[in-house]
Amino acid sequence: MQVINNFINGVQASSESGRVAPVFNPATGKQTAEVVLSTAAETRQAISVAADAFTKWASITPLNRARVLFKFKELVEKHRNELAEIISSEHGKVYSDAQGEVTRGLEVIEFACGVPHLLKGEHSLNVGTNVDSHSMMQPLGVVAGITPFNFPAMVPMWMFPIALACGNTFVLKPSEKDPTCPIRLAELLKEAGLPDGVFNVVNGDKESVDVLLTDSRIEAVSFVGSTPIAEYIYQTACAHGKRAQALGGAKNHMVIMPDADVDQTVNALMGAAYGSAGERCMAISVAVAVGDQVAEQLIDKLIPQVEQLKVGPGLGQTPENHMGPLVTKEHRDKVVSYIDAGVAAGAKLVVDGRDFVCKGNENGFYVGGTLFDHVKPDMKIYQEEIFGPVLCVVRVPDLKTAVELVNAHEYGNGTAIFTRDGNAARQYSQHIQVGMVGVNVPIPVPMAFHCFGGWKRSLFGPLHMHGPDGVRFYTRMKMVTSRWPDSATVQGAEFSMPTMK
Ligand code: NAD
């Protein structure tokens, strides 16, 4: 059995814990590897290595740090097919989707390559007579990232390119479900010229995470995953004096107005609800139809498309499948149990994916596309994140009710409105309590030079991921106020509150 180790101080490192987690190919259901679950002491060792590497890395000029990232960008481009295959074989998503994930990660590297510009700071001449002020943005030290299974390349790359570019050193604790890609990224960083110890990967579970949250040498923690863990991470890291940003779960609504282009909306819903088998934090899992007429039109057009979804392995299929399996058998069973709960609660199951079997891959973790109509806000399938290929249609009479519905939900990650009415779109964007809004755009993921983050229980902490917030999160601001007195302006002691003259 292949063993996936840690990557510490520029080399692969095994663990003495004796604990491992299985890694599967979800398309076949076969175990392909096991990943080490590191001890607390091994996690502390990774922090020590990163702490030792910090002073030297931070003293390298931003321009030269950026040059390492430019080289890393070239290597990720060169190896993008290999990375996409690794992602698909451990996560299950289809190859083109895995390629898209690599591209979204590359965009953050491209943003981080501009770090000399991003760290310029501000300068004011003569804030008082002969007094100048300037700001410095300095790195924090050792920072940690804890990442989920659903984007094993992109989510770590939301974090470490910017953290490293700003002069920090990094310890990544990736998901134990698909850990090969982060190790490969660590190898590519080394090949790009990153000094040993600047980027380290520790595989593990709560034992490792708790060290990252409590060790005084970790200055900041970035987390992406489910909301209960995000809340725990945020509270624990803050209680130990660290900066934290913890992105959690989602239940993203698409509001469809009566004047929306129905065909365009159906196409958008199909991709946004069923792409990546619904295992995206920006997946649309609730379609809010404004009026019964648009609801009927949508359902009529969605049913044949959901029934005809091509479900199967993510790799080696021509033409490619639309969606692959779910990540584990446990997750598959959980999604099926949500569909059972929806039926029991009285929602109308119009397409049932529970009995889908993939011919030739009978043991893969598949669920077919599933569609519910007449879902009500008090149902568990409406309230909770299912994270599978299940779309719920909720009917409301008007836009005001749609807004109230979305605003009352505990999550506020992404949302979309489909309409031809500019004023409806404008009102919706302004009044909706959600962090990322699409107007006729189903998955409004901001580009790397903007910030990504939800509201309410989809994000804990004030700063979002990447873009200007990423630079703020990974730097500490210092203000320098300076005066160079000449003999004519030397003053005596001043005992009142100093003010600028
Ligand atoms: P998860 O919360 O189970 O795991 C995330 C990370 O936390 C993993 O590295 C895991 O090992 C670690 N972890 C799990 N349990 C822990 C515990 N008790 N103590 C400490 N660490 C623990 O999430 P997942 O299943 O890997 O990912 C799916 C979730 O991530 C979904 O809820 C999805 O919405 C969310 N997600 C959110 C965003 C976003 O931007 N808001 C992006 C991607 C994924």
Side-chain angles (χ1 to χ4, degrees), residues 146-151 158 173-177 204 206 209 223-226 229 232 247-250 281 385 387 413 452 458:
I146 302 156
T147 52
F149 80 82
N150 67 326
F151 287 108
W158 279 355
K173 205 305 284 172
S175 171
E176 62 279 23
K177 296 187 181 116
K206 184 169 165 41
V209 169
F223 172 88
V224 177
S226 59
I229 310 296
Y232 167 74
L247 279 63
C281 63
E385 180 181 46
F387 224 53
N413 211 41
F452 179 108
S458 292

PDB file of all heavy atoms in Angstrom, residues 146-151 158 173-177 204 206 209 223-226 229 232 247-250 281 385 387 413 452 458, ligand 1:
ATOM      1  N   ILE A 146      -5.386  25.135   7.040  1.00  0.00           N
ATOM      2  CA  ILE A 146      -6.079  23.853   7.259  1.00  0.00           C
ATOM      3  C   ILE A 146      -7.177  23.796   6.198  1.00  0.00           C
ATOM      4  O   ILE A 146      -8.028  24.700   6.142  1.00  0.00           O
ATOM      5  CB  ILE A 146      -6.667  23.782   8.684  1.00  0.00           C
ATOM      6  CG1 ILE A 146      -5.548  23.950   9.717  1.00  0.00           C
ATOM      7  CG2 ILE A 146      -7.419  22.463   8.912  1.00  0.00           C
ATOM      8  CD1 ILE A 146      -6.021  24.458  11.065  1.00  0.00           C
ATOM      9  N   THR A 147      -7.145  22.775   5.341  1.00  0.00           N
ATOM     10  CA  THR A 147      -7.952  22.851   4.120  1.00  0.00           C
ATOM     11  C   THR A 147      -8.871  21.640   3.947  1.00  0.00           C
ATOM     12  O   THR A 147      -8.614  20.574   4.501  1.00  0.00           O
ATOM     13  CB  THR A 147      -7.018  23.022   2.902  1.00  0.00           C
ATOM     14  OG1 THR A 147      -6.022  22.008   2.917  1.00  0.00           O
ATOM     15  CG2 THR A 147      -6.360  24.387   2.914  1.00  0.00           C
ATOM     16  N   PRO A 148      -9.954  21.810   3.149  1.00  0.00           N
ATOM     17  CA  PRO A 148     -10.966  20.766   2.990  1.00  0.00           C
ATOM     18  C   PRO A 148     -10.652  19.843   1.812  1.00  0.00           C
ATOM     19  O   PRO A 148      -9.743  20.108   1.028  1.00  0.00           O
ATOM     20  CB  PRO A 148     -12.219  21.578   2.694  1.00  0.00           C
ATOM     21  CG  PRO A 148     -11.707  22.718   1.880  1.00  0.00           C
ATOM     22  CD  PRO A 148     -10.325  23.039   2.400  1.00  0.00           C
ATOM     23  N   PHE A 149     -11.475  18.800   1.682  1.00  0.00           N
ATOM     24  CA  PHE A 149     -11.229  17.813   0.624  1.00  0.00           C
ATOM     25  C   PHE A 149     -11.649  18.312  -0.758  1.00  0.00           C
ATOM     26  O   PHE A 149     -11.171  17.814  -1.769  1.00  0.00           O
ATOM     27  CB  PHE A 149     -11.970  16.496   0.937  1.00  0.00           C
ATOM     28  CG  PHE A 149     -13.442  16.530   0.577  1.00  0.00           C
ATOM     29  CD1 PHE A 149     -13.857  16.305  -0.729  1.00  0.00           C
ATOM     30  CD2 PHE A 149     -14.408  16.824   1.533  1.00  0.00           C
ATOM     31  CE1 PHE A 149     -15.208  16.359  -1.068  1.00  0.00           C
ATOM     32  CE2 PHE A 149     -15.755  16.881   1.197  1.00  0.00           C
ATOM     33  CZ  PHE A 149     -16.155  16.652  -0.105  1.00  0.00           C
ATOM     34  N   ASN A 150     -12.577  19.304  -0.826  1.00  0.00           N
ATOM     35  CA  ASN A 150     -13.241  19.495  -2.116  1.00  0.00           C
ATOM     36  C   ASN A 150     -12.429  20.291  -3.127  1.00  0.00           C
ATOM     37  O   ASN A 150     -12.739  20.238  -4.313  1.00  0.00           O
ATOM     38  CB  ASN A 150     -14.656  20.086  -1.933  1.00  0.00           C
ATOM     39  CG  ASN A 150     -14.635  21.485  -1.405  1.00  0.00           C
ATOM     40  OD1 ASN A 150     -13.758  21.842  -0.613  1.00  0.00           O
ATOM     41  ND2 ASN A 150     -15.576  22.302  -1.822  1.00  0.00           N
ATOM     42  N   PHE A 151     -11.378  20.984  -2.674  1.00  0.00           N
ATOM     43  CA  PHE A 151     -10.457  21.636  -3.613  1.00  0.00           C
ATOM     44  C   PHE A 151      -9.027  21.433  -3.104  1.00  0.00           C
ATOM     45  O   PHE A 151      -8.429  22.354  -2.532  1.00  0.00           O
ATOM     46  CB  PHE A 151     -10.767  23.130  -3.732  1.00  0.00           C
ATOM     47  CG  PHE A 151     -12.022  23.435  -4.494  1.00  0.00           C
ATOM     48  CD1 PHE A 151     -13.157  23.897  -3.843  1.00  0.00           C
ATOM     49  CD2 PHE A 151     -12.069  23.260  -5.871  1.00  0.00           C
ATOM     50  CE1 PHE A 151     -14.324  24.177  -4.553  1.00  0.00           C
ATOM     51  CE2 PHE A 151     -13.233  23.544  -6.584  1.00  0.00           C
ATOM     52  CZ  PHE A 151     -14.363  24.001  -5.926  1.00  0.00           C
ATOM     53  N   TRP A 158      -5.313  29.332  -2.359  1.00  0.00           N
ATOM     54  CA  TRP A 158      -5.904  30.605  -1.920  1.00  0.00           C
ATOM     55  C   TRP A 158      -5.005  31.239  -0.851  1.00  0.00           C
ATOM     56  O   TRP A 158      -5.040  32.439  -0.632  1.00  0.00           O
ATOM     57  CB  TRP A 158      -7.262  30.354  -1.255  1.00  0.00           C
ATOM     58  CG  TRP A 158      -8.425  30.168  -2.163  1.00  0.00           C
ATOM     59  CD1 TRP A 158      -8.452  30.284  -3.523  1.00  0.00           C
ATOM     60  CD2 TRP A 158      -9.754  29.838  -1.755  1.00  0.00           C
ATOM     61  NE1 TRP A 158      -9.729  30.038  -3.964  1.00  0.00           N
ATOM     62  CE2 TRP A 158     -10.544  29.766  -2.912  1.00  0.00           C
ATOM     63  CE3 TRP A 158     -10.353  29.598  -0.515  1.00  0.00           C
ATOM     64  CZ2 TRP A 158     -11.903  29.469  -2.875  1.00  0.00           C
ATOM     65  CZ3 TRP A 158     -11.706  29.300  -0.485  1.00  0.00           C
ATOM     66  CH2 TRP A 158     -12.470  29.233  -1.651  1.00  0.00           C
ATOM     67  N   LYS A 173      -1.962  21.879   6.724  1.00  0.00           N
ATOM     68  CA  LYS A 173      -2.571  20.605   7.139  1.00  0.00           C
ATOM     69  C   LYS A 173      -3.731  20.362   6.168  1.00  0.00           C
ATOM     70  O   LYS A 173      -4.832  20.875   6.362  1.00  0.00           O
ATOM     71  CB  LYS A 173      -3.070  20.722   8.585  1.00  0.00           C
ATOM     72  CG  LYS A 173      -3.174  19.426   9.358  1.00  0.00           C
ATOM     73  CD  LYS A 173      -3.994  18.337   8.737  1.00  0.00           C
ATOM     74  CE  LYS A 173      -5.480  18.546   8.849  1.00  0.00           C
ATOM     75  NZ  LYS A 173      -6.255  17.527   8.048  1.00  0.00           N
ATOM     76  N   PRO A 174      -3.470  19.585   5.099  1.00  0.00           N
ATOM     77  CA  PRO A 174      -4.525  19.384   4.099  1.00  0.00           C
ATOM     78  C   PRO A 174      -5.546  18.344   4.547  1.00  0.00           C
ATOM     79  O   PRO A 174      -5.371  17.692   5.582  1.00  0.00           O
ATOM     80  CB  PRO A 174      -3.759  18.885   2.875  1.00  0.00           C
ATOM     81  CG  PRO A 174      -2.459  18.377   3.385  1.00  0.00           C
ATOM     82  CD  PRO A 174      -2.234  18.882   4.777  1.00  0.00           C
ATOM     83  N   SER A 175      -6.585  18.179   3.732  1.00  0.00           N
ATOM     84  CA  SER A 175      -7.574  17.133   4.016  1.00  0.00           C
ATOM     85  C   SER A 175      -6.919  15.764   3.912  1.00  0.00           C
ATOM     86  O   SER A 175      -6.120  15.502   3.012  1.00  0.00           O
ATOM     87  CB  SER A 175      -8.721  17.207   3.014  1.00  0.00           C
ATOM     88  OG  SER A 175      -9.554  16.077   3.158  1.00  0.00           O
ATOM     89  N   GLU A 176      -7.297  14.892   4.820  1.00  0.00           N
ATOM     90  CA  GLU A 176      -6.757  13.530   4.801  1.00  0.00           C
ATOM     91  C   GLU A 176      -7.412  12.681   3.713  1.00  0.00           C
ATOM     92  O   GLU A 176      -6.983  11.567   3.445  1.00  0.00           O
ATOM     93  CB  GLU A 176      -6.926  12.881   6.187  1.00  0.00           C
ATOM     94  CG  GLU A 176      -8.358  12.709   6.667  1.00  0.00           C
ATOM     95  CD  GLU A 176      -8.971  13.987   7.280  1.00  0.00           C
ATOM     96  OE1 GLU A 176      -8.507  15.099   6.982  1.00  0.00           O
ATOM     97  OE2 GLU A 176      -9.940  13.847   8.048  1.00  0.00           O
ATOM     98  N   LYS A 177      -8.458  13.247   3.047  1.00  0.00           N
ATOM     99  CA  LYS A 177      -9.156  12.441   2.029  1.00  0.00           C
ATOM    100  C   LYS A 177      -8.454  12.473   0.674  1.00  0.00           C
ATOM    101  O   LYS A 177      -8.550  11.527  -0.095  1.00  0.00           O
ATOM    102  CB  LYS A 177     -10.603  12.936   1.884  1.00  0.00           C
ATOM    103  CG  LYS A 177     -11.384  12.716   3.171  1.00  0.00           C
ATOM    104  CD  LYS A 177     -12.842  13.031   3.048  1.00  0.00           C
ATOM    105  CE  LYS A 177     -13.534  12.811   4.371  1.00  0.00           C
ATOM    106  NZ  LYS A 177     -14.093  14.029   4.938  1.00  0.00           N
ATOM    107  N   GLY A 204      -2.599  14.925   8.872  1.00  0.00           N
ATOM    108  CA  GLY A 204      -3.078  14.537  10.190  1.00  0.00           C
ATOM    109  C   GLY A 204      -4.532  14.871  10.383  1.00  0.00           C
ATOM    110  O   GLY A 204      -5.250  15.209   9.438  1.00  0.00           O
ATOM    111  N   LYS A 206      -7.353  15.928  14.029  1.00  0.00           N
ATOM    112  CA  LYS A 206      -7.526  16.899  15.107  1.00  0.00           C
ATOM    113  C   LYS A 206      -6.257  17.058  15.958  1.00  0.00           C
ATOM    114  O   LYS A 206      -5.944  18.167  16.407  1.00  0.00           O
ATOM    115  CB  LYS A 206      -8.706  16.465  15.975  1.00  0.00           C
ATOM    116  CG  LYS A 206      -9.077  17.432  17.078  1.00  0.00           C
ATOM    117  CD  LYS A 206     -10.406  17.047  17.686  1.00  0.00           C
ATOM    118  CE  LYS A 206     -10.697  17.711  19.002  1.00  0.00           C
ATOM    119  NZ  LYS A 206     -10.359  19.103  19.139  1.00  0.00           N
ATOM    120  N   VAL A 209      -4.138  19.467  14.128  1.00  0.00           N
ATOM    121  CA  VAL A 209      -4.812  20.767  14.036  1.00  0.00           C
ATOM    122  C   VAL A 209      -4.740  21.490  15.376  1.00  0.00           C
ATOM    123  O   VAL A 209      -4.447  22.693  15.441  1.00  0.00           O
ATOM    124  CB  VAL A 209      -6.279  20.584  13.582  1.00  0.00           C
ATOM    125  CG1 VAL A 209      -7.062  21.883  13.729  1.00  0.00           C
ATOM    126  CG2 VAL A 209      -6.333  20.092  12.133  1.00  0.00           C
ATOM    127  N   PHE A 223      -8.467  28.787   7.630  1.00  0.00           N
ATOM    128  CA  PHE A 223      -9.183  27.508   7.574  1.00  0.00           C
ATOM    129  C   PHE A 223     -10.286  27.587   6.533  1.00  0.00           C
ATOM    130  O   PHE A 223     -10.956  28.621   6.407  1.00  0.00           O
ATOM    131  CB  PHE A 223      -9.819  27.193   8.937  1.00  0.00           C
ATOM    132  CG  PHE A 223     -10.741  25.988   8.903  1.00  0.00           C
ATOM    133  CD1 PHE A 223     -10.242  24.709   9.101  1.00  0.00           C
ATOM    134  CD2 PHE A 223     -12.096  26.134   8.660  1.00  0.00           C
ATOM    135  CE1 PHE A 223     -11.077  23.593   9.052  1.00  0.00           C
ATOM    136  CE2 PHE A 223     -12.946  25.028   8.608  1.00  0.00           C
ATOM    137  CZ  PHE A 223     -12.433  23.753   8.807  1.00  0.00           C
ATOM    138  N   VAL A 224     -10.501  26.480   5.834  1.00  0.00           N
ATOM    139  CA  VAL A 224     -11.685  26.332   4.981  1.00  0.00           C
ATOM    140  C   VAL A 224     -12.225  24.928   5.222  1.00  0.00           C
ATOM    141  O   VAL A 224     -11.480  23.945   5.178  1.00  0.00           O
ATOM    142  CB  VAL A 224     -11.340  26.522   3.490  1.00  0.00           C
ATOM    143  CG1 VAL A 224     -12.582  26.299   2.623  1.00  0.00           C
ATOM    144  CG2 VAL A 224     -10.778  27.919   3.233  1.00  0.00           C
ATOM    145  N   GLY A 225     -13.519  24.825   5.489  1.00  0.00           N
ATOM    146  CA  GLY A 225     -14.133  23.516   5.736  1.00  0.00           C
ATOM    147  C   GLY A 225     -15.560  23.706   6.195  1.00  0.00           C
ATOM    148  O   GLY A 225     -16.208  24.709   5.870  1.00  0.00           O
ATOM    149  N   SER A 226     -16.055  22.770   6.984  1.00  0.00           N
ATOM    150  CA  SER A 226     -17.460  22.824   7.408  1.00  0.00           C
ATOM    151  C   SER A 226     -17.628  23.816   8.568  1.00  0.00           C
ATOM    152  O   SER A 226     -16.674  24.110   9.307  1.00  0.00           O
ATOM    153  CB  SER A 226     -17.916  21.427   7.822  1.00  0.00           C
ATOM    154  OG  SER A 226     -17.111  20.966   8.874  1.00  0.00           O
ATOM    155  N   ILE A 229     -16.578  22.990  12.363  1.00  0.00           N
ATOM    156  CA  ILE A 229     -15.112  22.986  12.562  1.00  0.00           C
ATOM    157  C   ILE A 229     -14.576  24.411  12.398  1.00  0.00           C
ATOM    158  O   ILE A 229     -13.696  24.843  13.147  1.00  0.00           O
ATOM    159  CB  ILE A 229     -14.424  22.012  11.575  1.00  0.00           C
ATOM    160  CG1 ILE A 229     -15.102  20.629  11.583  1.00  0.00           C
ATOM    161  CG2 ILE A 229     -12.936  21.869  11.908  1.00  0.00           C
ATOM    162  CD1 ILE A 229     -15.035  19.858  12.851  1.00  0.00           C
ATOM    163  N   TYR A 232     -15.034  26.231  15.588  1.00  0.00           N
ATOM    164  CA  TYR A 232     -14.071  25.741  16.591  1.00  0.00           C
ATOM    165  C   TYR A 232     -12.675  26.307  16.307  1.00  0.00           C
ATOM    166  O   TYR A 232     -11.971  26.764  17.218  1.00  0.00           O
ATOM    167  CB  TYR A 232     -14.059  24.202  16.552  1.00  0.00           C
ATOM    168  CG  TYR A 232     -12.908  23.580  17.286  1.00  0.00           C
ATOM    169  CD1 TYR A 232     -12.880  23.551  18.686  1.00  0.00           C
ATOM    170  CD2 TYR A 232     -11.829  23.028  16.597  1.00  0.00           C
ATOM    171  CE1 TYR A 232     -11.803  22.990  19.362  1.00  0.00           C
ATOM    172  CE2 TYR A 232     -10.761  22.455  17.271  1.00  0.00           C
ATOM    173  CZ  TYR A 232     -10.750  22.448  18.648  1.00  0.00           C
ATOM    174  OH  TYR A 232      -9.684  21.897  19.313  1.00  0.00           O
ATOM    175  N   LEU A 247     -13.419  29.844   6.947  1.00  0.00           N
ATOM    176  CA  LEU A 247     -14.537  29.801   6.006  1.00  0.00           C
ATOM    177  C   LEU A 247     -15.295  28.494   6.192  1.00  0.00           C
ATOM    178  O   LEU A 247     -14.682  27.418   6.268  1.00  0.00           O
ATOM    179  CB  LEU A 247     -14.025  29.912   4.565  1.00  0.00           C
ATOM    180  CG  LEU A 247     -13.698  31.341   4.085  1.00  0.00           C
ATOM    181  CD1 LEU A 247     -12.570  31.970   4.884  1.00  0.00           C
ATOM    182  CD2 LEU A 247     -13.366  31.360   2.607  1.00  0.00           C
ATOM    183  N   GLY A 248     -16.617  28.595   6.277  1.00  0.00           N
ATOM    184  CA  GLY A 248     -17.427  27.425   6.592  1.00  0.00           C
ATOM    185  C   GLY A 248     -18.328  26.990   5.457  1.00  0.00           C
ATOM    186  O   GLY A 248     -18.064  27.248   4.285  1.00  0.00           O
ATOM    187  N   GLY A 249     -19.409  26.342   5.815  1.00  0.00           N
ATOM    188  CA  GLY A 249     -20.311  25.723   4.849  1.00  0.00           C
ATOM    189  C   GLY A 249     -21.227  26.720   4.157  1.00  0.00           C
ATOM    190  O   GLY A 249     -21.138  27.940   4.368  1.00  0.00           O
ATOM    191  N   ALA A 250     -22.126  26.181   3.343  1.00  0.00           N
ATOM    192  CA  ALA A 250     -22.944  27.055   2.499  1.00  0.00           C
ATOM    193  C   ALA A 250     -24.252  26.385   2.123  1.00  0.00           C
ATOM    194  O   ALA A 250     -24.387  25.165   2.176  1.00  0.00           O
ATOM    195  CB  ALA A 250     -22.167  27.387   1.220  1.00  0.00           C
ATOM    196  N   CYS A 281     -18.398  24.634  -2.401  1.00  0.00           N
ATOM    197  CA  CYS A 281     -18.995  25.563  -1.434  1.00  0.00           C
ATOM    198  C   CYS A 281     -19.793  26.645  -2.133  1.00  0.00           C
ATOM    199  O   CYS A 281     -20.564  27.347  -1.508  1.00  0.00           O
ATOM    200  CB  CYS A 281     -17.908  26.202  -0.591  1.00  0.00           C
ATOM    201  SG  CYS A 281     -16.793  27.174  -1.586  1.00  0.00           S
ATOM    202  N   GLU A 385     -26.590  21.856   4.808  1.00  0.00           N
ATOM    203  CA  GLU A 385     -25.781  21.699   3.604  1.00  0.00           C
ATOM    204  C   GLU A 385     -25.690  20.204   3.281  1.00  0.00           C
ATOM    205  O   GLU A 385     -25.218  19.420   4.103  1.00  0.00           O
ATOM    206  CB  GLU A 385     -24.373  22.256   3.871  1.00  0.00           C
ATOM    207  CG  GLU A 385     -23.447  22.133   2.685  1.00  0.00           C
ATOM    208  CD  GLU A 385     -22.043  22.661   2.987  1.00  0.00           C
ATOM    209  OE1 GLU A 385     -21.484  22.338   4.049  1.00  0.00           O
ATOM    210  OE2 GLU A 385     -21.512  23.393   2.136  1.00  0.00           O
ATOM    211  N   PHE A 387     -24.211  18.952   0.295  1.00  0.00           N
ATOM    212  CA  PHE A 387     -22.912  18.767  -0.367  1.00  0.00           C
ATOM    213  C   PHE A 387     -22.929  17.557  -1.299  1.00  0.00           C
ATOM    214  O   PHE A 387     -22.026  16.706  -1.276  1.00  0.00           O
ATOM    215  CB  PHE A 387     -21.797  18.645   0.672  1.00  0.00           C
ATOM    216  CG  PHE A 387     -20.574  19.459   0.314  1.00  0.00           C
ATOM    217  CD1 PHE A 387     -20.685  20.808   0.010  1.00  0.00           C
ATOM    218  CD2 PHE A 387     -19.306  18.880   0.273  1.00  0.00           C
ATOM    219  CE1 PHE A 387     -19.571  21.562  -0.318  1.00  0.00           C
ATOM    220  CE2 PHE A 387     -18.184  19.630  -0.059  1.00  0.00           C
ATOM    221  CZ  PHE A 387     -18.320  20.973  -0.357  1.00  0.00           C
ATOM    222  N   ASN A 413     -22.950  32.307   1.950  1.00  0.00           N
ATOM    223  CA  ASN A 413     -21.715  32.259   1.154  1.00  0.00           C
ATOM    224  C   ASN A 413     -21.908  32.930  -0.200  1.00  0.00           C
ATOM    225  O   ASN A 413     -21.395  34.003  -0.451  1.00  0.00           O
ATOM    226  CB  ASN A 413     -21.283  30.806   0.991  1.00  0.00           C
ATOM    227  CG  ASN A 413     -19.775  30.668   0.884  1.00  0.00           C
ATOM    228  OD1 ASN A 413     -19.047  31.344   1.615  1.00  0.00           O
ATOM    229  ND2 ASN A 413     -19.297  29.816   0.003  1.00  0.00           N
ATOM    230  N   PHE A 452     -12.498  36.631  -1.643  1.00  0.00           N
ATOM    231  CA  PHE A 452     -13.511  35.573  -1.610  1.00  0.00           C
ATOM    232  C   PHE A 452     -13.944  35.357  -0.166  1.00  0.00           C
ATOM    233  O   PHE A 452     -13.112  35.083   0.697  1.00  0.00           O
ATOM    234  CB  PHE A 452     -12.893  34.272  -2.159  1.00  0.00           C
ATOM    235  CG  PHE A 452     -13.845  33.095  -2.160  1.00  0.00           C
ATOM    236  CD1 PHE A 452     -14.366  32.599  -3.339  1.00  0.00           C
ATOM    237  CD2 PHE A 452     -14.212  32.473  -0.969  1.00  0.00           C
ATOM    238  CE1 PHE A 452     -15.244  31.517  -3.344  1.00  0.00           C
ATOM    239  CE2 PHE A 452     -15.088  31.395  -0.957  1.00  0.00           C
ATOM    240  CZ  PHE A 452     -15.606  30.916  -2.148  1.00  0.00           C
ATOM    241  N   SER A 458     -21.029  31.395   7.263  1.00  0.00           N
ATOM    242  CA  SER A 458     -20.143  30.881   6.209  1.00  0.00           C
ATOM    243  C   SER A 458     -18.729  31.427   6.356  1.00  0.00           C
ATOM    244  O   SER A 458     -17.828  30.995   5.619  1.00  0.00           O
ATOM    245  CB  SER A 458     -20.691  31.237   4.823  1.00  0.00           C
ATOM    246  OG  SER A 458     -21.885  30.532   4.574  1.00  0.00           O
TER     247      SER A 458
HETATM  248  P1  NAD B   1     -14.206  19.442   7.253  1.00  0.00           P
HETATM  249  O1  NAD B   1     -14.634  20.553   8.109  1.00  0.00           O
HETATM  250  O2  NAD B   1     -14.640  18.060   7.593  1.00  0.00           O
HETATM  251  O3  NAD B   1     -12.601  19.377   7.185  1.00  0.00           O
HETATM  252  C1  NAD B   1     -11.822  20.509   6.886  1.00  0.00           C
HETATM  253  C2  NAD B   1     -10.453  20.358   7.546  1.00  0.00           C
HETATM  254  O4  NAD B   1     -10.632  20.317   8.961  1.00  0.00           O
HETATM  255  C3  NAD B   1      -9.715  19.085   7.155  1.00  0.00           C
HETATM  256  O5  NAD B   1      -8.348  19.375   6.998  1.00  0.00           O
HETATM  257  C4  NAD B   1      -9.958  18.170   8.343  1.00  0.00           C
HETATM  258  O6  NAD B   1      -8.914  17.246   8.540  1.00  0.00           O
HETATM  259  C5  NAD B   1     -10.039  19.149   9.502  1.00  0.00           C
HETATM  260  N1  NAD B   1     -10.896  18.667  10.592  1.00  0.00           N
HETATM  261  C6  NAD B   1     -11.994  17.885  10.478  1.00  0.00           C
HETATM  262  N2  NAD B   1     -12.526  17.653  11.690  1.00  0.00           N
HETATM  263  C7  NAD B   1     -11.757  18.302  12.589  1.00  0.00           C
HETATM  264  C8  NAD B   1     -11.811  18.451  14.014  1.00  0.00           C
HETATM  265  N3  NAD B   1     -12.751  17.884  14.749  1.00  0.00           N
HETATM  266  N4  NAD B   1     -10.863  19.205  14.602  1.00  0.00           N
HETATM  267  C9  NAD B   1      -9.901  19.801  13.873  1.00  0.00           C
HETATM  268  N5  NAD B   1      -9.804  19.681  12.533  1.00  0.00           N
HETATM  269  C10 NAD B   1     -10.717  18.955  11.890  1.00  0.00           C
HETATM  270  O7  NAD B   1     -14.645  19.812   5.762  1.00  0.00           O
HETATM  271  P2  NAD B   1     -14.575  18.906   4.449  1.00  0.00           P
HETATM  272  O8  NAD B   1     -15.621  17.845   4.528  1.00  0.00           O
HETATM  273  O9  NAD B   1     -13.170  18.521   4.152  1.00  0.00           O
HETATM  274  O10 NAD B   1     -14.983  19.991   3.340  1.00  0.00           O
HETATM  275  C11 NAD B   1     -16.311  20.270   2.991  1.00  0.00           C
HETATM  276  C12 NAD B   1     -16.815  21.501   3.699  1.00  0.00           C
HETATM  277  O11 NAD B   1     -15.984  22.613   3.396  1.00  0.00           O
HETATM  278  C13 NAD B   1     -18.205  21.914   3.249  1.00  0.00           C
HETATM  279  O12 NAD B   1     -18.946  22.304   4.376  1.00  0.00           O
HETATM  280  C14 NAD B   1     -17.950  23.107   2.344  1.00  0.00           C
HETATM  281  O13 NAD B   1     -19.001  24.028   2.231  1.00  0.00           O
HETATM  282  C15 NAD B   1     -16.786  23.717   3.016  1.00  0.00           C
HETATM  283  N6  NAD B   1     -16.053  24.590   2.105  1.00  0.00           N
HETATM  284  C16 NAD B   1     -16.238  25.931   2.264  1.00  0.00           C
HETATM  285  C17 NAD B   1     -15.596  26.793   1.411  1.00  0.00           C
HETATM  286  C18 NAD B   1     -15.797  28.265   1.560  1.00  0.00           C
HETATM  287  O14 NAD B   1     -15.155  28.991   0.850  1.00  0.00           O
HETATM  288  N7  NAD B   1     -16.638  28.747   2.450  1.00  0.00           N
HETATM  289  C19 NAD B   1     -14.760  26.304   0.405  1.00  0.00           C
HETATM  290  C20 NAD B   1     -14.598  24.930   0.279  1.00  0.00           C
HETATM  291  C21 NAD B   1     -15.256  24.084   1.150  1.00  0.00           C
END
